[in-house]
C-alpha cells in the first residue's frame, strides 16, 4: 500500500488543476436579469448588417430530407444547384432529434442549422445562434405572415431565423398488416393492442408531449391545456402512460431510415413517423400509409438559423435565401411531406394539391398543431399558480420510461 | 499429448461449430454485398455486381478510408515510440511506482471507450479550447495503442534478456551504437507486429473516434455508421466490409509470422 | 570522443537519468494528458448543466450523484449491464475454451497457424458491420427465422437476448486468444502425468488444466467485461428498447447536453472496472494480456 499515497496525491493535484482550468459558463436560464416572456434573456448579439463575398464553403446542420444533395437518391438534389449558383460548397450533417442538433451546434463547425421550436430558443439562450437580418433575405417577404414573429423564432421583436416550413408527426402503419386502418393514437397506447411488440415511438423526451396530447382528449379531467405545460399530476399521468406503452414497443427510433427499414421488414407495423419516412418506405415498394389521428398531433415548425461563430456568414445568408425561394422550398416540402413557408412555393409543387393537402395557407389549421417547444418551469399555458416540469425533468423521466 | 478418442472428437466438433458461428455472419455480409434487395431479406431474391462497381466511385468511402489510414499511421508511429520507451523503462529497471505505471498503461484500453472518448473530448474542447480535428483523433488513438506496442516489446525484452547488450557494450560500443546494431534488430519484428496490431485497432475504432474527430470528418468506421441505414448506401457498406475482411488476412498473417510462436493478437 | 559516445558514457553512469528520460514522454502522455482528462471529467460530475441552454454551471454540488443513487432506474440499468457483461463473459469462456484447447494442444503446427488466422481475421472485419449483420439475421424475416421456423422456434428478435448473443459473438476472439496463449504455455507433460496418475479427463480438466489457465481466462474476461460495460452501439442496433450504461452516458452527452450527469454515470463503469482490475491483479491475469 506504500505506493498509493503518492499516486493519490498526484491525482488530487490533477483534479484541482482541472477544476481551475475549466471555464465556468454563466447561468443562462434568466440569471440575474429580468427574463423575457419566454423565460430568459438572450445574449447581446448583433445580426449581420451587410453581405460580403461568398466564402466558398458552407456547413449545413439539417433535419434529414431538408438539404438533399443527391447522396441519398441521385434524383433528389437541390443542394447542387445552390452550389453552382453561389459557389458555396456545401457539406450536410443530419441529426435525428432536436437535442442532437443542440449538442452538435455546441461542438461547433456548422454555419446554419434548421432548428425546430424546441431547439430554437435554447440555441438563442446559449448564444449559439445570432439574430438574423431579414432584409438580407429577399425571399423572406413571401413567407406566410402567420409564420413570422412567432414565439419560437423571435425574442422581444428580434428575428432569429427564417421559417422553413411546418408539419405534423403522423401515425404511420403497414396497410397490409394493420386492419382496419387506425384513426386514433389509441392504436399505439392501447394496452390490449394486437400489434404489441411491433409498435414504434420517437426516441426523445419530447415524445412525452404526444402522451400528454392523447390524455388531453381521453382524460380531460386532468385539465391539460398545452402538452408542453405539465404540472406534477399531469406529467405523472403522461409518464405512466408511456411506461405502460414501453413493453409494446419494438424499437424507439431517432434515425428515420432505421424506422423505414423496420417498417419495410415488418419488425415495426405501427407508430409515429414523419411523412418523409412514409414517402420513402412507400417508394421502396412497401405498403405503408399514414394518417393524422383524431386527437391531433404534435409537430414542428422549423427555422433556419445562423451560427454565431460561423466563418461563412455570406454563404449562410445565401443559403437561407435559397432554401425559402419558391422552387427549393417547394422541392423540400414535397420530398419531406410538410407545408412550405413560402407562399409562392405552392405554385411550384409537382403535385398541385400539395399545399391544400398540407393546409399550407390555413393559418387556423396550423395553429392546431402542437409544435415542439421546450418545456420550462414557467407554465407556457399561462398558469401562474403551479410550476410546470422543465425539460431537464422530461429528460430524466425519459430515461426512466425506457427503463 | 494423449487424449481419448472421444475427447478429441468432442473438441474438434466444438472447434468446427465455433468457427462456423464466427464466420457465418461474415459470409452473410459477403453474400449480401451481392444482394439486389436493399433490405437484405432472406433468402436473397436476386444477385448483382452493381454494388461492387459503385464502391470505386464512392467519394465518401474513399475519403473516409484515407482519413482512417492517416490516423492509423500517425497513431501507430506515436504508439511505437512511446510504447517502446515505456517497455524499456518498466522491463529493465526496478523503481518505485512500477506496478502503478503498468496499470496506468493498460487503463486506456481497459476502461470503456466511451469514458476515454468523453474525457478527451471534454479536455480538448473545454479545457484546452482547441477544435476537434484529425490531430485530436490521432492523440486519442495513440493513447490506447501504446499498450499494444508496450505488450509486444515487453514480451520480446523478457525473452531476450540483457546479455547481448552487455556483451556489445563490453566490446566497446556506446549505448546508442548498441541500440542501433544489437537491440533494435532483435526488437524489429516485435515492433512490426505491435505496430500492425496498433494500426488495426485504430482502423476499426469507432467509439473514441466519434468523440474526438472533427466535425465533417469521417474515418471508415464512422462512414459505415453514417451509412448503415441509408437504403442506397448500405449495400456499398457491405461491399466495403467484404473488402476489409479479405484484405485484412494479409496483415493478420504477417503479424502472426513476425511475433513468433505466441498468439499475440486479438486486443493486445 | 564524439558527442554520441560521451553522452552515452554519461548516461551509462546515471541509470536514474536514463530511466527518467525513458519514462518522461510516456508519463507525460498517459499520466498528465490522459489521467488529467479523466480527472477533469470526474470534476464535471460535481457540477450541473442548465437544462435550457446546456451550459455547464460550476457550482459544486453532489446532486448528480444523489440522483444516480436514488433514482432506481440507474440501479436497474447498472445491474442489467453488469449482468449482461457477466453473461457474455461466461458464454465466451465456455465457447472459447474447447476451441482454444484444440488449437493449442491437438492441432498440428501448420493447422494451428491457419486456425489462429481463421480466428483472428474476423476481428478486423468492422465491428459495426458484424453487429448489423446480426440485426439482419435476427430480423423477423431474416436467416434465424428461416432456420428455426421448421423446428417450431422463432428468432428472439431485438432485445436483451439479441444483445447478449451479438456481444458474445463480437468479443469471442478476444477470449479465444489469451486462453490459447495460456494453453500453449501449459506443458503437455502435466496433463499426461495427471492421466497417468489415474484421473479421468474431467478431473484432469478440473484440477490441472483449469487452475493453470485461469489467469488467461481472466485476462480474456477483462476485455469482454470492459467492452460490454461501455458499449452502446450494439444495443442500439440489436437491442430493441433496452438500455445499458453506455447508452445513458451517450444520451446524456449527445441528446441531453448534460455533460455533468454523463460524467456522473460514467464513473460507474470506471469504478466497476477499477475494482475488477484490482481483483484480478492477484490472479496474475495482467501478465497474460
Amino acid at each position: 500500500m506504500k505506493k498509493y499515497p503518492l499516486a493519490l496525491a498526484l491525482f488530487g493535484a490533477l483534479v484541482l488543476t482541472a477544476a481551475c482550468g475549466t471555464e465556468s459558463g454563466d447561468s443562462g436560464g434568466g440569471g440575474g436579469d429580468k427574463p423575457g416572456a419566454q423565460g430568459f434573456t438572450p445574449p447581446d448579439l448583433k445580426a449581420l448588417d451587410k453581405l460580403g463575398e461568398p466564402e466558398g464553403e458552407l456547413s449545413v446542420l439539417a433535419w434529414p430530407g431538408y438539404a438533399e444533395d443527391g447522396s441519398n437518391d441521385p434524383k433528389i438534389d437541390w443542394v447542387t444547384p445552390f452550389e453552382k449558383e453561389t459557389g458555396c460548397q456545401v457539406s450536410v450533417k443530419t441529426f435525428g432529434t432536436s437535442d442532437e442538433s443542440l449538442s452538435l451546434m455546441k461542438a461547433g463547425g456548422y454555419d446554419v442549422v434548421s432548428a425546430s421550436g424546441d431547439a430554437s430558443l435554447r440555441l438563442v439562450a446559449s448564444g449559439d445562434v445570432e439574430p438574423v437580418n431579414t432584409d438580407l433575405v429577399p425571399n423572406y417577404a413571401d413567407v406566410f405572415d402567420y409564420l413570422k414573429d412567432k414565439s419560437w423564432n423571435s425574442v422581444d421583436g428580434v428575428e432569429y431565423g427564417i421559417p422553413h416550413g411546418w408539419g405534423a408527426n403522423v401515425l404511420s402503419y403497414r396497410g397490409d398488416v394493420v386492419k382496419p386502418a387506425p384513426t386514433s393514437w389509441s392504436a399505439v397506447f392501447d394496452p390490449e393492442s394486437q400489434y404489441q411488440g411491433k409498435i414504434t415511438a420517437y426516441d426523445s423526451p419530447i415524445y412525452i408531449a404526444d402522451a400528454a396530447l392523447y390524455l388531453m382528449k381521453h382524460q380531460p379531467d386532468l385539465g391539460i391545456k398545452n402538452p408542453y405545460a405539465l404540472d406534477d399530476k399531469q406529467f405523472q399521468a403522461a409518464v405512466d402512460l408511456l411506461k405502460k406503452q414501453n413493453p409494446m414497443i419494438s424499437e424507439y427510433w431517432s434515425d428515420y431510415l432505421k424506422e423505414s427499414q423496420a417498417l419495410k421488414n415488418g419488425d415495426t407495423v405501427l407508430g409515429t413517423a414523419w411523412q418523409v419516412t412514409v414517402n420513402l418506405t412507400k417508394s421502396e415498394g412497401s405498403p405503408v400509409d399514414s394518417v393524422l389521428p383524431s386527437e391531433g398531433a404534435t409537430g414542428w415548425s422549423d427555422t433556419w438559423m445562423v451560427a454565431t461563430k460561423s466563418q461563412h456568414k455570406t454563404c449562410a445568408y445565401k443559403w437561407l435565401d435559397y432554401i425559402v425561394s419558391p422552387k427549393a422550398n417547394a422541392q423540400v416540402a414535397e420530398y419531406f411531406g410538410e407545408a412550405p413557408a413560402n407562399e409562392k412555393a405552392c405554385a411550384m409543387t409537382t403535385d398541385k394539391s400539395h399545399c391544400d393537402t398540407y393546409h399550407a395557407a390555413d393559418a387556423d389549421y396550423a395553429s392546431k398543431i402542437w409544435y415542439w417547444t421546450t418545456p420550462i418551469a414557467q407554465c407556457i399555458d399561462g398558469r401562474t399558480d403551479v410550476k410546470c416540469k422543465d425539460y431537464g425533468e422530461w429528460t430524466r423521466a425519459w430515461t426512466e420510461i425506457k427503463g | 499429448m494423449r487424449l481419448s478418442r472421444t475427447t478429441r472428437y468432442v473438441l474438434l466438433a466444438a472447434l468446427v461449430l465455433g468457427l462456423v458461428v464466427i464466420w457465418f455472419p461474415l459470409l452473410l455480409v459477403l453474400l449480401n454485398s451481392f444482394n439486389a434487395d436493399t433490405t437484405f431479406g432472406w433468402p436473397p431474391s436476386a444477385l448483382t455486381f452493381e454494388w461492387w462497381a459503385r464502391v470505386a466511385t464512392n467519394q465518401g468511402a474513399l475519403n473516409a478510408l484515407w482519413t482512417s489510414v492517416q490516423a492509423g499511421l500517425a497513431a501507430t508511429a506515436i504508439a511505437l515510440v512511446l510504447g517502446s520507451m515505456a517497455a524499456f523503462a518498466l522491463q529493465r529497471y526496478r523503481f518505485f511506482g512500477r506496478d502503478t505505471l503498468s496499470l496506468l498503461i493498460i487503463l486506456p484500453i481497459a476502461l470503456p471507450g466511451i469514458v476515454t472518448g468523453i474525457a478527451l473530448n471534454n479536455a480538448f474542447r473545454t479545457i484546452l479550447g482547441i477544435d476537434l480535428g484529425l490531430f485530436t483523433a490521432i492523440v486519442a488513438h495513440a493513447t490506447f495503442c501504446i499498450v499494444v506496442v508496450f505488450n509486444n516489446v515487453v514480451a520480446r525484452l523478457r525473452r531476450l534478456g540483457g546479455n547481448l547488450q552487455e556483451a556489445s557494450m563490453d566490446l566497446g560500443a556506446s549505448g546508442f551504437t548498441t541500440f542501433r546494431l544489437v537491440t533494435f534488430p532483435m526488437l524489429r519484428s516485435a515492433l512490426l507486429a505491435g505496430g500492425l496490431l496498433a494500426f488495426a485497432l485504430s482502423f476499426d475504432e469507432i467509439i473514441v473516434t466519434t468523440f474526438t474527430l472533427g466535425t465533417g470528418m469521417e474515418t471508415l468506421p464512422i462512414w459505415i455508421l453514417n451509412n448503415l441505414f441509408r437504403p442506397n448506401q448500405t449495400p456499398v457498406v457491405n461491399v466495403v466490409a467484404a473488402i476489409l475482411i479479405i484484405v485484412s488476412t494479409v496483415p493478420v498473417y504477417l503479424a502472426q509470422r513476425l511475433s513468433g510462436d505466441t498468439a499475440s493478437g486479438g486486443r493486445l | 570522443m564524439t558527442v554520441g559516445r560521451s553522452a552515452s558514457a554519461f548516461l551509462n553512469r546515471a541509470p536514474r537519468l536514463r530511466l527518467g528520460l525513458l519514462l518522461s514522454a510516456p508519463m507525460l502522455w498517459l499520466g498528465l494528458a490522459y489521467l488529467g482528462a479523466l480527472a477533469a471529467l470526474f470534476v464535471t460530475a460535481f457540477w450541473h448543466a442548465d437544462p435550457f441552454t446546456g451550459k455547464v454551471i460550476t457550482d459544486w454540488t453532489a446532486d448528480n450523484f444523489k440522483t444516480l443513487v436514488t433514482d432506481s432506474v440507474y440501479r436497474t440499468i447498472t445491474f442489467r449491464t453488469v449482468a449482461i457483461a457477466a453473461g457474455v463473459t461466461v458464454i465466451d469462456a465456455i465457447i472459447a475454451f474447447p476451441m482454444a484447447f484444440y488449437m493449442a494442444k491437438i492441432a498440428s503446427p501448420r493447422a494451428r497457424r491457419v486456425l489462429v488466422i481463421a480466428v483472428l481475421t474476423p476481428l478486423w472485419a468492422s465491428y459495426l458491420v458484424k453487429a448489423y449483420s446480426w440485426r439482419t439475421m435476427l430480423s423477423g424475416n431474416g436467416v434465424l427465422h428461416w432456420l428455426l421456423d421448421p423446428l417450431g422456434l422463432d428468432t428472439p428478435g431485438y432485445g436483451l437476448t439479441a444483445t447478449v448473443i451479438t456481444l458474445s459473438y463480437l468479443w469471442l476472439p478476444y477470449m479465444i486468444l489469451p486462453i490459447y496463449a495460456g494453453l500453449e504455455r501449459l506443458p503437455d507433460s502435466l496433463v499426461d502425468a495427471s492421466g497417468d496418475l489415474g484421473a479421468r479427463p474431467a478431473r484432469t480438466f478440473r484440477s490441472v488444466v483449469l487452475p493453470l489457465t485461469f489467469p488467461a481466462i481472466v485476462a480474456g474476461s477483462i476485455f469482454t467485461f470492459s467492452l460490454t460495460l461501455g458499449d452502446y452501439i450494439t444495443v442500439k442496433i440489436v437491442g430493441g428498447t433496452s438500455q445499458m450504461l453506455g447508452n445513458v452516458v451517450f444520451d446524456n452527452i449527445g441528446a441531453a447536453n448534460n455533460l455533468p450527469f454523463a460524467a456522473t454515470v460514467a464513473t460507474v463503469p470506471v469504478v466497476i472496472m477499477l475494482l475488477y482490475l484490482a481483483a484480478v491483479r492477484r490472479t496474475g491475469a495482467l501478465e497474460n494480456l
Side-chain angles (χ1 to χ4, degrees):
Chain A
M1 282 302 278
K2 289 186 293 190
K3 359 192 196 254
Y4 291 119
L6 180 58
L8 283 174
L10 283 172
F11 191 74
L14 276 171
V15 168
L16 282 173
T17 328
C20 303
T22 313
E23 284 174 19
S24 135
D26 45 83
S27 47
D33 308 283
K34 184 168 66 74
Q38 287 108 326
F40 69 94
T41 312
D44 197 15
L45 296 164
K46 294 273 167 292
L48 198 66
D49 47 38
K50 66 179 172 60
L51 297 177
E53 278 305 303
E55 297 88 355
E57 257 185 73
L58 183 69
S59 182
V60 175
L61 187 60
W63 285 105
Y66 276 22
E68 291 296 303
D69 57 1
S71 58
N72 264 332
D73 183 343
K75 296 193 290 298
I76 309 284
D77 183 1
W78 47 86
V79 167
T80 311
F82 169 76
E83 288 178 325
K84 291 211 183 81
E85 212 179 283
T86 59
C88 302
Q89 290 310 303
V90 176
S91 62
V92 181
K93 167 103 182 127
T94 59
F95 51 87
T97 67
S98 290
D99 291 327
E100 269 178 58
S101 69
L102 269 140
S103 87
L104 286 167
M105 281 299 282
K106 269 211 186 335
Y110 303 102
D111 302 306
V112 288
V113 56
S114 65
S116 295
D118 60 335
S120 50
L121 290 181
R122 287 152 78 192
L123 284 168
V124 173
S126 61
D128 287 325
V129 297
E130 59 177 26
V132 162
N133 184 344
T134 53
D135 294 332
L136 300 175
V137 184
N139 283 306
Y140 183 71
D142 298 321
V143 168
F144 284 110
D145 281 327
Y146 70 84
L147 290 173
K148 297 182 185 170
D149 259 328
K150 304 303 293 187
S151 63
W152 58 81
N153 58 27
S154 66
V155 181
D156 289 334
V158 179
E159 302 294 327
Y160 275 87
I162 306 295
H164 168 90
W166 54 274
N169 291 314
V170 298
L171 176 61
S172 69
Y173 61 97
R174 281 281 296 259
D176 56 335
V177 175
V178 182
K179 291 190 208 297
T183 53
S184 154
W185 286 112
S186 41
V188 300
F189 289 118
D190 176 12
E192 315 284 315
S193 169
Q194 60 177 132
Y195 308 107
Q196 288 213 27
K198 293 191 186 257
I199 298 179
T200 184
Y202 190 48
D203 193 356
S204 167
I206 207 76
Y207 189 68
I208 296 179
D210 290 64
L213 175 66
Y214 180 76
L215 291 174
M216 243 167 93
K217 300 291 185 313
H218 292 258
Q219 279 186 37
D221 40 288
L222 278 172
I224 302 179
K225 296 277 172 289
N226 182 321
Y228 302 98
L230 302 173
D231 64 33
D232 225 6
K233 195 158 137 253
Q234 298 163 337
F235 187 69
Q236 265 321 113
V239 169
D240 287 338
L241 181 64
L242 288 170
K243 281 188 180 158
K244 282 211 271 286
Q245 187 201 42
N246 178 277
M248 305 198 296
I249 304 277
S250 62
E251 275 182 326
Y252 290 95
W253 67 272
S254 61
D255 183 339
Y256 81 118
L257 292 169
K258 199 161 148 214
E259 193 196 15
S260 167
Q261 266 212 0
L263 280 167
K264 215 166 144 198
N265 272 337
D267 292 317
T268 298
V269 299
L270 189 58
T272 178
W274 297 331
Q275 190 58 41
V276 68
T277 319
V278 177
N279 292 349
L280 179 72
T281 323
K282 227 193 278 205
S283 75
E284 306 228 315
S286 195
V288 175
D289 268 314
S290 65
V291 66
L292 194 67
S294 52
E295 295 92 349
T298 53
W300 65 86
S301 184
D302 292 341
T303 314
W304 284 100
M305 311 178 99
V306 175
T308 315
K309 297 216 193 84
S310 165
Q311 306 283 328
H312 310 114
K313 292 211 177 128
T314 305
C315 276
Y317 271 84
K318 291 224 172 288
W319 172 262
L320 259 45
D321 190 45
Y322 177 79
I323 199 70
V324 293
S325 65
K327 183 143 181 281
N329 208 220
Q331 283 175 302
V332 188
E334 271 206 283
Y335 181 68
F336 199 85
E338 54 178 2
N342 190 328
E343 237 178 303
K344 297 208 173 106
C346 287
M348 305 206 77
T349 53
T350 50
D351 171 10
K352 288 306 160 207
S353 62
H354 178 93
C355 279
D356 290 325
T357 320
Y358 289 95
H359 305 267
D362 193 343
D364 194 46
Y365 181 87
S367 65
K368 292 209 179 71
I369 307 268
W370 295 105
Y371 299 123
W372 284 338
T373 311
T374 312
I376 48 175
Q378 201 181 330
C379 293
I380 47 187
D381 59 2
R383 286 182 292 172
T384 44
D385 53 331
V386 289
K387 273 228 157 298
C388 284
K389 297 290 185 186
D390 71 11
Y391 196 61
E393 291 176 273
W394 282 49
T395 311
R396 265 197 294 282
W398 188 243
T399 312
E400 247 185 77
I401 290 170
K402 289 205 287 185
Chain B
M1 183 159 154
R2 292 170 311 195
L3 288 172
S4 73
R5 273 290 211 49
T6 26
T7 322
R8 275 179 196 269
Y9 283 148
V10 164
L11 290 174
L12 182 60
L15 179 73
V16 170
L17 194 60
L19 284 176
V20 165
V21 169
I22 289 180
W23 276 91
F24 184 68
L26 298 176
L27 294 175
L28 196 64
V29 167
L30 202 51
L31 183 61
N32 274 329
S33 67
F34 295 107
N35 195 338
D37 176 19
T38 49
T39 31
F40 315 118
W42 186 268
S45 47
L47 296 178
T48 168
F49 278 100
E50 196 197 329
W51 315 126
W52 283 83
R54 275 219 223 160
V55 131
T57 52
N58 193 316
Q59 206 49 45
L62 295 173
N63 288 344
L65 178 64
W66 176 231
T67 313
S68 277
V69 167
Q70 285 179 289
L73 287 176
T76 307
I78 299 176
L80 280 173
V81 172
L82 293 177
S84 319
M85 287 171 79
F88 267 99
L90 266 73
Q91 180 58 21
R92 289 275 147 94
Y93 299 85
R94 300 204 114 55
F95 57 94
F96 169 75
R98 194 161 155 238
D99 286 334
T100 321
L101 249 167
S102 62
L103 195 63
L104 176 59
I105 295 181
I106 293 180
L107 223 46
I109 219 172
L111 291 185
I114 191 170
V115 176
T116 308
I118 62 181
L120 289 174
N121 176 300
N122 183 44
F124 285 136
R125 276 182 34 214
T126 322
I127 302 183
L128 296 175
I130 56 183
D131 282 333
L132 297 178
L134 188 58
F135 172 70
T136 46
I138 291 174
V139 168
H141 282 212
T143 310
F144 59 73
C145 286
I146 289 178
V147 66
V148 180
V149 175
F150 173 80
N151 250 43
N152 272 281
V153 177
V154 160
R156 180 59 60 89
L157 284 176
R158 213 179 274 155
R159 267 212 325 233
L160 290 178
N163 292 337
L164 279 174
Q165 279 166 287
E166 282 181 14
S168 158
M169 299 195 21
D170 283 345
L171 288 170
S174 76
F176 298 122
T177 316
T178 307
F179 181 76
R180 194 164 53 90
L181 294 174
V182 180
T183 323
F184 184 71
M186 295 196 293
L187 283 180
R188 222 173 17 209
S189 57
L191 286 176
L192 206 47
L196 273 172
L197 294 169
F199 184 81
L201 202 61
S202 152
F203 201 73
D204 191 35
E205 215 288 323
I206 173 105
I207 297 187
V208 177
T209 320
T210 319
F211 289 103
T212 49
L213 191 63
T215 52
M217 304 181 77
E218 287 183 325
T219 55
L220 204 57
I222 294 195
W223 177 84
I224 293 178
L225 186 62
N226 286 340
N227 287 288
L228 214 40
F229 292 108
R230 287 176 167 213
N232 276 0
Q233 302 277 48
T234 324
V236 181
V237 171
N238 276 332
V239 173
V240 169
I243 296 176
L244 279 178
I245 297 173
I246 298 171
V247 166
S248 65
T249 42
V250 175
V252 165
Y253 174 70
L254 276 179
Q256 266 299 291
R257 295 229 41 188
L258 290 170
S259 54
D261 52 350
T262 52
S264 62
R267 196 91 171 133
L268 294 186
Chain C
M1 287 228 270
T2 66
V3 177
R5 281 199 85 91
S6 37
S8 156
F10 172 67
L11 284 176
N12 218 28
R13 285 191 298 271
R16 293 206 155 264
L17 179 58
R18 275 202 320 267
L19 175 64
L21 284 175
L22 277 176
L23 276 184
S24 59
M27 266 309 285
L28 269 175
W29 191 285
L30 286 175
L32 207 61
Y34 181 67
L35 268 194
L38 284 181
L41 188 70
F42 182 65
V43 159
T44 59
F46 288 101
W47 293 334
H48 69 107
D50 180 279
F52 199 70
T53 60
K55 278 200 167 55
V56 176
I57 303 168
T58 55
D59 298 333
W60 296 90
T61 163
D63 274 350
N64 284 332
F65 285 98
K66 212 167 87 184
T67 315
L68 185 71
V69 173
T70 50
D71 275 3
S72 66
V73 68
Y74 300 108
R75 274 199 297 279
T76 316
I77 297 179
T78 307
F79 287 142
R80 182 187 303 145
T81 312
V82 172
I84 294 179
V88 167
T89 305
V90 168
I91 292 176
D92 276 345
I94 294 179
I95 300 179
F97 203 93
M99 292 179 70
F101 196 88
Y102 191 92
M103 279 162 63
K105 295 296 176 197
I106 305 178
S108 69
R110 196 124 164 272
R112 199 172 298 162
R113 178 154 281 152
V114 171
L115 284 173
V116 171
I117 295 180
V119 167
L120 261 183
T121 314
L123 266 184
W124 309 138
S126 161
Y127 156 89
L128 287 170
V129 170
K130 288 186 281 195
Y132 187 68
S133 186
W134 272 97
R135 183 181 161 88
T136 48
M137 279 170 57
L138 289 161
S139 155
N141 64 349
V143 171
L144 280 186
H145 173 83
W146 182 75
L147 278 173
L148 296 172
D149 209 29
L151 302 172
L153 302 167
D154 199 3
T155 151
Y158 305 138
L160 281 181
T161 325
T163 312
V164 173
I165 294 175
T166 311
L167 285 173
S168 305
Y169 171 80
L170 288 170
W171 313 142
L172 186 60
Y174 293 142
M175 183 62 97
I176 294 181
L177 293 160
I179 298 183
Y180 169 74
L183 281 171
E184 255 197 326
R185 283 197 283 271
L186 179 74
D188 283 6
S189 50
L190 286 177
V191 180
D192 288 343
S194 164
D196 285 343
L197 288 170
R200 319 208 64 201
R203 181 74 200 280
T204 309
F205 173 74
R206 213 163 28 98
S207 308
V208 181
V209 178
L210 199 54
L212 286 174
T213 52
F214 187 67
I217 301 179
V218 173
S221 78
I222 293 180
F223 290 130
T224 58
F225 214 77
S226 132
L227 289 168
T228 311
L229 224 48
D231 188 77
Y232 62 90
I233 296 183
T234 306
V235 191
K236 271 188 138 77
I237 297 180
V238 298
T241 57
S242 323
Q243 288 189 103
M244 286 171 64
L245 273 176
N247 295 99
V248 180
V249 177
F250 185 73
D251 287 342
N252 273 290
I253 275 275
N257 286 301
N258 196 341
L259 176 63
F261 194 65
T264 315
V265 180
T267 54
V268 178
V270 169
V271 166
I272 296 180
M273 271 323 291
L274 287 177
L275 288 174
Y276 196 80
L277 282 174
V280 303
R281 224 148 143 245
R282 297 271 204 85
T283 64
L286 295 182
E287 272 89 58
N288 275 272
L289 284 174

